């Protein structure tokens, strides 16, 4: 979803690579945040984190995505 925020109107986004590390566990509410680290004309590098109610890191993901041009 973070990669889609770069385009208006939104483009289709394909996952090229995605690595997720599950670091902890929780049964409570999670807060997730995603960031675009770098974006080229079609390739986007993103990372995201999920934290528990105490702010402890529960999961981290790093991904590479490709934006598809809208069909004309």
């Amino acid at each position: 979803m973070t990669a889609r925020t770069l385009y208006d109107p939104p483009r289709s986004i394909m996952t090229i690579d995605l690595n997720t590390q599950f670091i902890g566990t929780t049964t409570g509410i999670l807060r997730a945040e995603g960031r675009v680290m770098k974006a080229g004309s079609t390739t986007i590098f993103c990372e995201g984190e999920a934290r528990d109610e105490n702010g402890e890191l529960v999961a981290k993901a790093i991904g590479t995505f490709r934006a598809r041009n809208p069909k004309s």
Side-chain angles (χ1 to χ4, degrees), residues 23-66:
I23 299 164
T25 61
T26 187
T27 57
I29 296 173
L30 290 175
R31 179 170 185 249
E33 182 177 311
R35 291 175 289 285
V36 173
M37 303 307 293
K38 184 170 177 86
S41 59
T42 59
T43 305
I44 307 116
F45 301 91
C46 299
E47 71 176 13
E49 295 178 348
R51 296 182 177 272
D52 66 13
E53 293 171 322
N54 299 318
E56 294 294 320
L57 187 63
V58 175
K60 182 167 181 78
I62 298 174
T64 307
F65 304 92
R66 180 181 168 135

Side-chain angles (χ1 to χ4, degrees), residues 7-24:
Y7 305 100
D8 185 25
R11 295 185 187 176
S12 295
I13 302 294
M14 296 182 341
T15 302
I16 296 172
D17 182 57
L18 181 61
N19 181 298
T20 305
Q21 299 172 330
F22 297 97
I23 299 164

